[in-house]
Amino acid sequence: MKVSVFKQLPCLLCVAFITGTCVDRTKNSEIEIAQAAPNIQENIVFPKNAGVIDVTAPKYGAKPNDGKDDTQAIQKALSEFPNQGRIIYLPNGVYDISDTLHWPHGKRYSSDYKRTILQGQSRDGVVIRLKNNSPGFQNPTKPRPVISTGFDPKLDPNSEDIKASRVAQRFGNSVRNLTIKLGKNNYGAEGLNFAAHNQGAVRSVKIISEDRSGTTGLALTHGEVGPLLIEDVEIIGFDRGIRTNTCINSITMQNITVRDQNRVGIFNGGQVISLEGFNSFNSVRAIINGNNPHKGCDPGSTLTLVNAKLIGHGKAKNIPAISSAGFLYARNVVSSGYKGVLANNAVRTKAQVKGSKIEEFTSRPIISQFPSSSRSLQLPIKPFPKLAWDDPKKWVSVEKFGAIPNDKKDDTAAFQAAIDSGATTVFVPNSGNFTINGSLRIRGKVRRFIGTSGLLDGKGEILADNGSEPSLIVENFFIPYNSKLKWKNFANRTVVYRSINNLILESNSTGNLFIDDVSVIRQVRFLNSAQHVWARQLNPEIRTETNVLNRGAHLWILGMKTEQGKTKIKTTNGGFTELLGGLIYANGTNGLEEPLFHIVNASASFSGVADAYFTKKNSRPLWLWVEETRGFQTKQLTRNQIPARMTTNGHVLLLYTGFDKQPNK
């Protein structure tokens, strides 16, 4: 995204005035509790030559477990590498701090607060603890984060630097595998204020308030937030577990647990949220979706909620588990200990749910153009694979086999030699820009091909091939925006593409495929009818061709944000596509006559899809939302047939069904 919507529309003043292990869950009979705890033993240790910044190195001097203040040491490491994709690494231990840890200032509107990763050795082993009674964290009306990825709270809130930090340019930020803990009596503290755009995630993180005080555990509130991914996160205490307050750019969440909040588990004050696998243990509401659930007035909060277990106790017996004044699609949600599962207070709708269970609910009518099922497609939901991390002594670097960064010469042969060396983990260090101009095959014993957020470029291709390991994870790569480097998948084994910026992908395999927190600069193609694909936090922004082509595969997407014109998802050849939540940022000037979603003799359902349109010269919103063909008959669904979203000049497609029978599972 290039332009701040804060300059364009006062809707983003629609802030909230209320101060306030993935499994197949497609069966409604029972909902498994998705814990934030990892399903593998975490022990993430990098080789010395990986280009990772260890905060305990003598240059920085952090010393865990000594009870002394580590704020300056950790901040020194964070501040040194603006916009360089560095992993700031914390070995296991307790790190005591007394002030906010923030991402590097960099240069305003250029390198500020972006491409920085805070990485722990393990979620339960690394604890960043705010000391008891810390000055600056005492005023609940002026919340101050323990960790901030999008701004430095010490700056003047009216300064040009803070203004710049609100623009959607916080690319590639992540916080992974650690615990954030508030010591006692920090009433004005937020655990983590997280901002990322297009690609970035909070993964395997606990946020705990020792005395349950503090304003918000995870605040998604600074400027234009998202698209981003939150996964495997548990929040204990605080007034609110998770809070949003703006209307763009979408949040994808999976496997979230909130406990013991004082006001609400999740408060959505305008965002487009896709949430699968949610658990709440509370005496207050588990979710408030919308700014004013009592009067029914909301600017467009949109929540897609699938597979949730909401356990109430104490005063929960007098309130609903969910209050919604916004747009709500919910499926497979159960509650106990509450007065009921849902109070729907949205205007222009009378839809209600009685009792403690939601099988499937939409706060606006289902839309179909042909005779179709009255239910969503409900493709099976499978866990995103995780692999135990190898001993760093067993990793091999591509540099060991002759790859040289920044010389612009082809490194394909050196990369291939590293892959064929017999190692199970092959890494690309953050030491510069490597070039792939040939055909590189990831094969043999390799099960993890990982970058430490350095750069890959070139005009070649990287192929996921068959190997002796049943699963392959490809993760943490930054590809320049104008790169011609292509990724292809022909492996008949499980393949995962994770945390990759600017991906071009074609898959023609029969193995399971997972795509996780990626931005896309060219078409993503799924070409094999035997393949099952699961994607989450998918961000295609392609103005020249169809963004996602599903030619016969089974494609499940949790959370998608996109820009520009052209068709976003085309499903053909008997394929199946299910989209759970998305934001269409309508800022394109070409391809606007094409359908947003195109179904040709195939099956699809789209839930919780909102758009945002800000008037600009020569631009207009995407008018044709769905074009569906069955046999030789074609029908079209246009934007004016879809309920309006008060803010962002938007609309919301709460559930579209384009199929006549459920797929075989």
Side-chain angles (χ1 to χ4, degrees):
M1 185 171 302
K2 306 300 187 295
V3 180
S4 171
V5 299
F6 282 87
K7 299 178 181 178
Q8 300 189 47
L9 193 67
C11 88
L12 292 185
L13 297 176
C14 64
V15 296
F17 291 106
I18 297 177
T19 56
T21 313
C22 181
V23 295
D24 187 337
R25 303 192 188 95
T26 55
K27 297 180 180 179
N28 287 330
S29 59
E30 182 178 0
I31 299 175
E32 298 287 342
I33 296 178
Q35 298 293 345
N39 56 12
I40 60 168
Q41 185 67 37
E42 289 184 337
N43 187 33
I44 303 169
V45 182
F46 295 90
K48 298 293 184 181
N49 58 343
V52 169
I53 307 304
D54 188 334
V55 300
T56 65
K59 181 178 181 179
Y60 307 106
K63 295 181 180 179
N65 304 320
D66 65 355
K68 296 182 180 179
D69 197 327
D70 293 306
T71 308
Q72 290 186 1
I74 299 173
Q75 189 59 58
K76 182 179 180 181
L78 282 167
S79 298
E80 191 172 353
F81 303 99
N83 193 29
Q84 293 186 37
R86 292 290 183 174
I87 296 175
I88 311 302
Y89 178 73
L90 293 88
N92 283 342
V94 177
Y95 298 81
D96 293 288
I97 65 171
S98 57
D99 202 353
T100 300
L101 299 175
H102 60 81
W103 265 221
H105 289 176
K107 183 179 179 181
R108 187 190 305 161
Y109 293 109
S110 176
S111 60
D112 49 338
Y113 308 105
K114 68 177 65 171
R115 293 193 64 224
T116 300
I117 299 167
L118 189 63
Q119 172 74 61
Q121 182 176 347
S122 65
R123 189 202 64 181
D124 295 328
V126 173
V127 178
I128 297 174
R129 184 182 183 274
L130 180 68
K131 293 183 177 182
N132 298 346
N133 305 294
S134 290
F137 296 87
Q138 300 303 313
N139 187 352
T141 65
K142 295 181 179 180
R144 188 182 183 92
V146 177
I147 298 176
S148 170
T149 70
F151 67 104
D152 178 358
K154 292 189 290 294
L155 296 177
D156 181 348
N158 298 314
S159 67
E160 187 66 23
D161 286 334
I162 288 293
K163 181 181 178 181
S165 73
R166 294 192 177 103
V167 179
Q169 296 288 301
R170 313 281 76 79
F171 307 127
N173 291 335
S174 287
V175 177
R176 304 171 181 163
N177 307 94
L178 53 82
T179 293
I180 301 166
K181 186 175 288 189
L182 265 65
K184 296 179 181 179
N185 304 321
N186 290 299
Y187 306 106
E190 297 173 337
L192 170 62
N193 193 301
F194 186 72
H197 300 105
N198 292 13
Q199 185 270 310
V202 180
R203 299 182 187 272
S204 190
V205 168
K206 269 188 176 181
I207 306 173
I208 302 170
S209 172
E210 291 180 353
D211 61 1
R212 305 302 187 258
S213 67
T215 61
T216 304
L218 175 59
L220 304 168
T221 56
H222 185 70
E224 304 173 34
V225 177
L228 55 83
L229 173 67
I230 312 293
E231 65 124 345
D232 289 349
V233 169
E234 182 172 7
I235 301 170
I236 301 174
F238 301 91
D239 289 343
R240 308 162 202 84
I242 299 173
R243 178 175 176 247
T244 78
N245 71 344
T246 59
C247 311
I248 55 174
N249 288 297
S250 80
I251 310 295
T252 300
M253 297 192 283
Q254 191 170 37
N255 299 343
I256 307 298
T257 298
V258 295
R259 302 176 186 269
D260 300 334
Q261 277 71 52
N262 302 315
R263 308 189 77 157
V264 63
I266 295 178
F267 175 72
N268 182 24
Q271 270 284 7
V272 177
I273 294 179
S274 308
L275 172 55
E276 193 277 327
F278 174 60
N279 298 272
S280 174
F281 305 88
N282 267 301
S283 62
V284 297
R285 287 173 174 84
I287 297 174
I288 295 176
N289 179 48
N291 281 347
N292 195 330
H294 303 292
K295 296 183 180 180
C297 180
D298 179 70
S301 303
T302 303
L303 173 63
T304 298
L305 176 65
V306 178
N307 299 321
K309 197 168 200 174
L310 316 175
I311 308 300
H313 58 84
K315 63 181 182 181
K317 64 182 179 182
N318 300 316
I319 56 176
I322 302 171
S323 290
S324 179
F327 293 91
L328 175 64
Y329 170 83
R331 187 174 86 213
N332 204 21
V333 179
V334 297
S335 68
S336 65
Y338 284 97
K339 184 178 180 180
V341 67
L342 171 66
N344 177 36
N345 305 304
V347 297
R348 303 187 189 91
T349 177
K350 297 180 180 179
Q352 297 293 340
V353 174
K354 295 182 179 180
S356 61
K357 183 175 182 179
I358 298 174
E359 292 191 2
E360 189 164 39
F361 171 85
T362 63
S363 61
R364 295 297 181 92
I366 300 169
I367 298 177
S368 301
Q369 297 181 96
F370 291 94
S372 296
S373 172
S374 60
R375 302 169 65 88
S376 58
L377 200 55
Q378 300 191 22
L379 296 178
I381 302 171
K382 296 296 182 183
F384 278 66
K386 296 183 179 181
L387 298 175
W389 289 71
D390 289 332
D391 185 318
K393 296 178 181 178
K394 297 181 180 180
W395 295 31
V396 298
S397 169
V398 296
E399 288 186 323
K400 179 180 178 181
F401 294 85
I404 301 174
N406 302 323
D407 66 354
K408 298 185 179 180
K409 295 181 180 180
D410 188 9
D411 295 307
T412 305
F415 273 57
Q416 193 66 67
I419 288 169
D420 294 340
S421 68
T424 53
T425 298
V426 174
F427 74 95
V428 181
N430 189 340
S431 55
N433 195 339
F434 294 89
T435 302
I436 302 296
N437 287 333
S439 182
L440 176 66
R441 293 182 178 270
I442 309 175
R443 59 195 180 191
K445 294 183 179 180
V446 175
R447 63 176 191 156
R448 191 187 302 274
F449 181 59
I450 183 172
T452 52
S453 297
L455 276 72
L456 279 184
D457 201 355
K459 55 186 178 182
E461 59 183 13
I462 301 177
L463 288 79
D465 207 342
N466 293 320
S468 58
E469 295 291 325
S471 298
L472 169 65
I473 293 180
V474 180
E475 61 183 331
N476 287 349
F477 287 102
F478 182 85
I479 318 298
Y481 180 76
N482 59 354
S483 177
K484 297 180 180 180
L485 183 64
K486 296 180 180 179
W487 302 73
K488 295 183 179 180
N489 175 29
F490 293 97
N492 296 325
R493 56 172 169 164
T494 296
V495 176
V496 181
Y497 293 95
R498 174 178 294 154
S499 299
I500 300 176
N501 202 59
N502 298 329
L503 180 73
I504 306 171
L505 176 65
E506 177 181 299
S507 181
N508 194 10
S509 79
T510 59
N512 288 342
L513 175 62
F514 296 84
I515 303 172
D516 180 0
D517 184 31
V518 301
S519 63
V520 177
I521 57 171
R522 297 290 187 274
Q523 186 179 74
V524 176
R525 297 157 57 88
F526 308 111
L527 306 178
N528 196 312
S529 62
Q531 183 161 69
H532 292 254
V533 183
W534 292 267
R536 62 185 178 188
Q537 210 303 79
L538 189 65
N539 183 60
E541 299 184 6
I542 306 164
R543 68 184 72 187
T544 57
E545 59 187 337
T546 295
N547 290 201
V548 178
L549 175 63
N550 177 11
R551 202 170 70 191
H554 288 63
L555 172 61
W556 178 89
I557 303 173
L558 178 69
M560 183 180 80
K561 179 261 180 183
T562 186
E563 299 184 14
Q564 308 301 327
K566 293 293 183 179
T567 295
K568 299 307 170 186
I569 303 176
K570 183 174 182 178
T571 309
T572 68
N573 294 57
F576 297 88
T577 298
E578 180 176 19
L579 173 62
L580 294 168
L583 177 70
I584 312 302
Y585 192 100
N587 64 350
T589 57
N590 65 309
L592 300 180
E593 70 284 353
E594 298 183 19
L596 180 62
F597 302 119
H598 196 184
I599 310 167
V600 182
N601 294 316
S603 299
S605 67
F606 313 111
S607 308
V609 180
D611 78 337
Y613 170 62
F614 304 98
T615 304
K616 295 195 306 180
K617 183 179 180 180
N618 298 325
S619 71
R620 62 185 190 274
L622 285 89
W623 182 252
L624 179 55
W625 273 52
V626 182
E627 181 173 287
E628 182 178 355
T629 298
R630 291 191 189 178
F632 298 100
Q633 186 177 12
T634 297
K635 296 184 178 182
Q636 296 180 334
L637 178 71
T638 55
R639 190 172 186 260
N640 64 332
Q641 297 173 277
I642 299 168
R645 183 183 185 220
M646 182 184 301
T647 190
T648 67
N649 301 309
H651 291 250
V652 178
L653 182 62
L654 210 50
L655 178 58
Y656 180 92
T657 61
F659 61 98
D660 56 5
K661 61 182 180 180
Q662 302 291 131
N664 294 326
K665 299 177 182 179

PDB file of all heavy atoms in Angstrom, residues 605-626:
ATOM      1  N   SER A 605     -17.119 -21.094  -2.115  1.00  0.00           N
ATOM      2  CA  SER A 605     -17.866 -20.262  -1.177  1.00  0.00           C
ATOM      3  C   SER A 605     -16.927 -19.207  -0.621  1.00  0.00           C
ATOM      4  O   SER A 605     -15.734 -19.448  -0.428  1.00  0.00           O
ATOM      5  CB  SER A 605     -18.486 -21.094  -0.046  1.00  0.00           C
ATOM      6  OG  SER A 605     -17.502 -21.645   0.806  1.00  0.00           O
ATOM      7  N   PHE A 606     -17.475 -18.010  -0.387  1.00  0.00           N
ATOM      8  CA  PHE A 606     -16.707 -16.864   0.084  1.00  0.00           C
ATOM      9  C   PHE A 606     -17.417 -16.279   1.294  1.00  0.00           C
ATOM     10  O   PHE A 606     -18.595 -15.920   1.217  1.00  0.00           O
ATOM     11  CB  PHE A 606     -16.580 -15.807  -1.015  1.00  0.00           C
ATOM     12  CG  PHE A 606     -16.171 -16.369  -2.352  1.00  0.00           C
ATOM     13  CD1 PHE A 606     -17.061 -16.385  -3.425  1.00  0.00           C
ATOM     14  CD2 PHE A 606     -14.902 -16.901  -2.538  1.00  0.00           C
ATOM     15  CE1 PHE A 606     -16.694 -16.904  -4.648  1.00  0.00           C
ATOM     16  CE2 PHE A 606     -14.523 -17.425  -3.769  1.00  0.00           C
ATOM     17  CZ  PHE A 606     -15.415 -17.430  -4.827  1.00  0.00           C
ATOM     18  N   SER A 607     -16.706 -16.172   2.417  1.00  0.00           N
ATOM     19  CA  SER A 607     -17.308 -15.703   3.665  1.00  0.00           C
ATOM     20  C   SER A 607     -16.552 -14.489   4.194  1.00  0.00           C
ATOM     21  O   SER A 607     -15.319 -14.453   4.156  1.00  0.00           O
ATOM     22  CB  SER A 607     -17.257 -16.812   4.728  1.00  0.00           C
ATOM     23  OG  SER A 607     -17.793 -18.018   4.259  1.00  0.00           O
ATOM     24  N   GLY A 608     -17.299 -13.512   4.699  1.00  0.00           N
ATOM     25  CA  GLY A 608     -16.687 -12.385   5.392  1.00  0.00           C
ATOM     26  C   GLY A 608     -15.726 -11.566   4.562  1.00  0.00           C
ATOM     27  O   GLY A 608     -14.679 -11.150   5.055  1.00  0.00           O
ATOM     28  N   VAL A 609     -16.077 -11.290   3.297  1.00  0.00           N
ATOM     29  CA  VAL A 609     -15.203 -10.524   2.407  1.00  0.00           C
ATOM     30  C   VAL A 609     -15.715  -9.080   2.340  1.00  0.00           C
ATOM     31  O   VAL A 609     -16.845  -8.830   1.921  1.00  0.00           O
ATOM     32  CB  VAL A 609     -15.159 -11.136   0.998  1.00  0.00           C
ATOM     33  CG1 VAL A 609     -14.232 -10.313   0.106  1.00  0.00           C
ATOM     34  CG2 VAL A 609     -14.697 -12.585   1.055  1.00  0.00           C
ATOM     35  N   ALA A 610     -14.883  -8.140   2.769  1.00  0.00           N
ATOM     36  CA  ALA A 610     -15.231  -6.722   2.754  1.00  0.00           C
ATOM     37  C   ALA A 610     -14.340  -5.989   1.768  1.00  0.00           C
ATOM     38  O   ALA A 610     -13.227  -6.435   1.460  1.00  0.00           O
ATOM     39  CB  ALA A 610     -15.077  -6.120   4.146  1.00  0.00           C
ATOM     40  N   ASP A 611     -14.826  -4.861   1.275  1.00  0.00           N
ATOM     41  CA  ASP A 611     -13.956  -4.030   0.457  1.00  0.00           C
ATOM     42  C   ASP A 611     -13.844  -2.643   1.059  1.00  0.00           C
ATOM     43  O   ASP A 611     -14.635  -2.232   1.917  1.00  0.00           O
ATOM     44  CB  ASP A 611     -14.399  -3.997  -1.006  1.00  0.00           C
ATOM     45  CG  ASP A 611     -15.577  -3.074  -1.279  1.00  0.00           C
ATOM     46  OD1 ASP A 611     -16.345  -2.792  -0.334  1.00  0.00           O
ATOM     47  OD2 ASP A 611     -15.755  -2.646  -2.434  1.00  0.00           O
ATOM     48  N   ALA A 612     -12.809  -1.935   0.638  1.00  0.00           N
ATOM     49  CA  ALA A 612     -12.571  -0.558   1.047  1.00  0.00           C
ATOM     50  C   ALA A 612     -12.212   0.225  -0.202  1.00  0.00           C
ATOM     51  O   ALA A 612     -11.351  -0.190  -0.975  1.00  0.00           O
ATOM     52  CB  ALA A 612     -11.441  -0.488   2.066  1.00  0.00           C
ATOM     53  N   TYR A 613     -12.878   1.351  -0.380  1.00  0.00           N
ATOM     54  CA  TYR A 613     -12.639   2.155  -1.579  1.00  0.00           C
ATOM     55  C   TYR A 613     -12.510   3.618  -1.177  1.00  0.00           C
ATOM     56  O   TYR A 613     -13.415   4.202  -0.587  1.00  0.00           O
ATOM     57  CB  TYR A 613     -13.791   1.989  -2.572  1.00  0.00           C
ATOM     58  CG  TYR A 613     -13.740   2.979  -3.722  1.00  0.00           C
ATOM     59  CD1 TYR A 613     -12.662   2.983  -4.602  1.00  0.00           C
ATOM     60  CD2 TYR A 613     -14.746   3.917  -3.905  1.00  0.00           C
ATOM     61  CE1 TYR A 613     -12.597   3.901  -5.634  1.00  0.00           C
ATOM     62  CE2 TYR A 613     -14.701   4.834  -4.947  1.00  0.00           C
ATOM     63  CZ  TYR A 613     -13.619   4.826  -5.804  1.00  0.00           C
ATOM     64  OH  TYR A 613     -13.543   5.730  -6.829  1.00  0.00           O
ATOM     65  N   PHE A 614     -11.363   4.210  -1.493  1.00  0.00           N
ATOM     66  CA  PHE A 614     -11.114   5.609  -1.215  1.00  0.00           C
ATOM     67  C   PHE A 614     -10.965   6.332  -2.548  1.00  0.00           C
ATOM     68  O   PHE A 614     -10.108   5.981  -3.363  1.00  0.00           O
ATOM     69  CB  PHE A 614      -9.849   5.776  -0.372  1.00  0.00           C
ATOM     70  CG  PHE A 614      -9.898   5.000   0.908  1.00  0.00           C
ATOM     71  CD1 PHE A 614      -9.280   3.760   1.010  1.00  0.00           C
ATOM     72  CD2 PHE A 614     -10.586   5.490   1.996  1.00  0.00           C
ATOM     73  CE1 PHE A 614      -9.336   3.041   2.181  1.00  0.00           C
ATOM     74  CE2 PHE A 614     -10.652   4.769   3.178  1.00  0.00           C
ATOM     75  CZ  PHE A 614     -10.028   3.543   3.272  1.00  0.00           C
ATOM     76  N   THR A 615     -11.791   7.315  -2.754  1.00  0.00           N
ATOM     77  CA  THR A 615     -11.848   7.988  -4.044  1.00  0.00           C
ATOM     78  C   THR A 615     -10.491   8.588  -4.412  1.00  0.00           C
ATOM     79  O   THR A 615      -9.905   9.363  -3.655  1.00  0.00           O
ATOM     80  CB  THR A 615     -12.907   9.106  -4.004  1.00  0.00           C
ATOM     81  OG1 THR A 615     -14.153   8.539  -3.622  1.00  0.00           O
ATOM     82  CG2 THR A 615     -13.039   9.758  -5.370  1.00  0.00           C
ATOM     83  N   LYS A 616     -10.000   8.188  -5.580  1.00  0.00           N
ATOM     84  CA  LYS A 616      -8.752   8.722  -6.108  1.00  0.00           C
ATOM     85  C   LYS A 616      -8.927   8.985  -7.603  1.00  0.00           C
ATOM     86  O   LYS A 616      -9.805   8.429  -8.245  1.00  0.00           O
ATOM     87  CB  LYS A 616      -7.590   7.744  -5.900  1.00  0.00           C
ATOM     88  CG  LYS A 616      -7.228   7.472  -4.465  1.00  0.00           C
ATOM     89  CD  LYS A 616      -5.869   6.791  -4.365  1.00  0.00           C
ATOM     90  CE  LYS A 616      -5.793   5.553  -5.199  1.00  0.00           C
ATOM     91  NZ  LYS A 616      -4.462   4.892  -5.084  1.00  0.00           N
ATOM     92  N   LYS A 617      -8.044   9.779  -8.155  1.00  0.00           N
ATOM     93  CA  LYS A 617      -8.107  10.102  -9.574  1.00  0.00           C
ATOM     94  C   LYS A 617      -7.974   8.833 -10.414  1.00  0.00           C
ATOM     95  O   LYS A 617      -7.097   8.013 -10.190  1.00  0.00           O
ATOM     96  CB  LYS A 617      -6.989  11.081  -9.925  1.00  0.00           C
ATOM     97  CG  LYS A 617      -7.018  11.547 -11.377  1.00  0.00           C
ATOM     98  CD  LYS A 617      -5.903  12.538 -11.650  1.00  0.00           C
ATOM     99  CE  LYS A 617      -5.932  12.995 -13.101  1.00  0.00           C
ATOM    100  NZ  LYS A 617      -4.838  13.963 -13.387  1.00  0.00           N
ATOM    101  N   ASN A 618      -8.893   8.664 -11.350  1.00  0.00           N
ATOM    102  CA  ASN A 618      -8.892   7.566 -12.326  1.00  0.00           C
ATOM    103  C   ASN A 618      -9.132   6.188 -11.712  1.00  0.00           C
ATOM    104  O   ASN A 618      -8.936   5.172 -12.376  1.00  0.00           O
ATOM    105  CB  ASN A 618      -7.572   7.536 -13.116  1.00  0.00           C
ATOM    106  CG  ASN A 618      -7.354   8.797 -13.918  1.00  0.00           C
ATOM    107  OD1 ASN A 618      -8.316   9.379 -14.430  1.00  0.00           O
ATOM    108  ND2 ASN A 618      -6.101   9.231 -14.016  1.00  0.00           N
ATOM    109  N   SER A 619      -9.490   6.115 -10.445  1.00  0.00           N
ATOM    110  CA  SER A 619      -9.753   4.811  -9.840  1.00  0.00           C
ATOM    111  C   SER A 619     -11.232   4.674  -9.516  1.00  0.00           C
ATOM    112  O   SER A 619     -11.957   5.664  -9.377  1.00  0.00           O
ATOM    113  CB  SER A 619      -8.924   4.619  -8.572  1.00  0.00           C
ATOM    114  OG  SER A 619      -9.405   5.455  -7.530  1.00  0.00           O
ATOM    115  N   ARG A 620     -11.661   3.427  -9.393  1.00  0.00           N
ATOM    116  CA  ARG A 620     -13.038   3.152  -9.027  1.00  0.00           C
ATOM    117  C   ARG A 620     -13.072   1.766  -8.392  1.00  0.00           C
ATOM    118  O   ARG A 620     -12.149   0.976  -8.550  1.00  0.00           O
ATOM    119  CB  ARG A 620     -13.957   3.215 -10.252  1.00  0.00           C
ATOM    120  CG  ARG A 620     -13.652   2.202 -11.332  1.00  0.00           C
ATOM    121  CD  ARG A 620     -14.533   2.428 -12.558  1.00  0.00           C
ATOM    122  NE  ARG A 620     -14.429   1.334 -13.512  1.00  0.00           N
ATOM    123  CZ  ARG A 620     -13.499   1.242 -14.449  1.00  0.00           C
ATOM    124  NH1 ARG A 620     -12.575   2.188 -14.531  1.00  0.00           N
ATOM    125  NH2 ARG A 620     -13.473   0.210 -15.282  1.00  0.00           N
ATOM    126  N   PRO A 621     -14.115   1.444  -7.662  1.00  0.00           N
ATOM    127  CA  PRO A 621     -14.162   0.134  -7.012  1.00  0.00           C
ATOM    128  C   PRO A 621     -14.402  -0.982  -8.020  1.00  0.00           C
ATOM    129  O   PRO A 621     -14.827  -0.750  -9.155  1.00  0.00           O
ATOM    130  CB  PRO A 621     -15.348   0.268  -6.052  1.00  0.00           C
ATOM    131  CG  PRO A 621     -16.229   1.303  -6.681  1.00  0.00           C
ATOM    132  CD  PRO A 621     -15.293   2.276  -7.331  1.00  0.00           C
ATOM    133  N   LEU A 622     -14.121  -2.202  -7.597  1.00  0.00           N
ATOM    134  CA  LEU A 622     -14.420  -3.365  -8.427  1.00  0.00           C
ATOM    135  C   LEU A 622     -15.929  -3.591  -8.398  1.00  0.00           C
ATOM    136  O   LEU A 622     -16.501  -3.886  -7.346  1.00  0.00           O
ATOM    137  CB  LEU A 622     -13.674  -4.595  -7.911  1.00  0.00           C
ATOM    138  CG  LEU A 622     -12.169  -4.611  -8.214  1.00  0.00           C
ATOM    139  CD1 LEU A 622     -11.397  -3.915  -7.098  1.00  0.00           C
ATOM    140  CD2 LEU A 622     -11.662  -6.021  -8.391  1.00  0.00           C
ATOM    141  N   TRP A 623     -16.554  -3.455  -9.540  1.00  0.00           N
ATOM    142  CA  TRP A 623     -18.013  -3.479  -9.608  1.00  0.00           C
ATOM    143  C   TRP A 623     -18.548  -4.899  -9.694  1.00  0.00           C
ATOM    144  O   TRP A 623     -19.565  -5.224  -9.095  1.00  0.00           O
ATOM    145  CB  TRP A 623     -18.471  -2.667 -10.815  1.00  0.00           C
ATOM    146  CG  TRP A 623     -19.970  -2.586 -10.943  1.00  0.00           C
ATOM    147  CD1 TRP A 623     -20.752  -3.198 -11.861  1.00  0.00           C
ATOM    148  CD2 TRP A 623     -20.836  -1.843 -10.088  1.00  0.00           C
ATOM    149  NE1 TRP A 623     -22.076  -2.893 -11.647  1.00  0.00           N
ATOM    150  CE2 TRP A 623     -22.154  -2.056 -10.561  1.00  0.00           C
ATOM    151  CE3 TRP A 623     -20.649  -1.024  -8.983  1.00  0.00           C
ATOM    152  CZ2 TRP A 623     -23.260  -1.471  -9.959  1.00  0.00           C
ATOM    153  CZ3 TRP A 623     -21.752  -0.444  -8.386  1.00  0.00           C
ATOM    154  CH2 TRP A 623     -23.037  -0.674  -8.874  1.00  0.00           C
ATOM    155  N   LEU A 624     -17.870  -5.751 -10.434  1.00  0.00           N
ATOM    156  CA  LEU A 624     -18.345  -7.117 -10.641  1.00  0.00           C
ATOM    157  C   LEU A 624     -17.672  -8.032  -9.620  1.00  0.00           C
ATOM    158  O   LEU A 624     -16.484  -8.301  -9.713  1.00  0.00           O
ATOM    159  CB  LEU A 624     -18.024  -7.570 -12.071  1.00  0.00           C
ATOM    160  CG  LEU A 624     -18.437  -8.992 -12.467  1.00  0.00           C
ATOM    161  CD1 LEU A 624     -19.918  -9.231 -12.222  1.00  0.00           C
ATOM    162  CD2 LEU A 624     -18.077  -9.248 -13.922  1.00  0.00           C
ATOM    163  N   TRP A 625     -18.438  -8.507  -8.648  1.00  0.00           N
ATOM    164  CA  TRP A 625     -17.851  -9.274  -7.549  1.00  0.00           C
ATOM    165  C   TRP A 625     -17.751 -10.760  -7.868  1.00  0.00           C
ATOM    166  O   TRP A 625     -16.738 -11.377  -7.590  1.00  0.00           O
ATOM    167  CB  TRP A 625     -18.652  -9.043  -6.261  1.00  0.00           C
ATOM    168  CG  TRP A 625     -18.166  -7.834  -5.519  1.00  0.00           C
ATOM    169  CD1 TRP A 625     -17.988  -6.584  -6.032  1.00  0.00           C
ATOM    170  CD2 TRP A 625     -17.757  -7.756  -4.156  1.00  0.00           C
ATOM    171  NE1 TRP A 625     -17.517  -5.730  -5.072  1.00  0.00           N
ATOM    172  CE2 TRP A 625     -17.372  -6.421  -3.907  1.00  0.00           C
ATOM    173  CE3 TRP A 625     -17.708  -8.669  -3.120  1.00  0.00           C
ATOM    174  CZ2 TRP A 625     -16.922  -5.995  -2.651  1.00  0.00           C
ATOM    175  CZ3 TRP A 625     -17.269  -8.241  -1.870  1.00  0.00           C
ATOM    176  CH2 TRP A 625     -16.873  -6.925  -1.650  1.00  0.00           C
ATOM    177  N   VAL A 626     -18.805 -11.350  -8.396  1.00  0.00           N
ATOM    178  CA  VAL A 626     -18.772 -12.785  -8.692  1.00  0.00           C
ATOM    179  C   VAL A 626     -19.344 -13.018 -10.084  1.00  0.00           C
ATOM    180  O   VAL A 626     -20.417 -12.504 -10.422  1.00  0.00           O
ATOM    181  CB  VAL A 626     -19.582 -13.618  -7.669  1.00  0.00           C
ATOM    182  CG1 VAL A 626     -19.464 -15.117  -8.002  1.00  0.00           C
ATOM    183  CG2 VAL A 626     -19.106 -13.359  -6.243  1.00  0.00           C
TER     184      VAL A 626
END
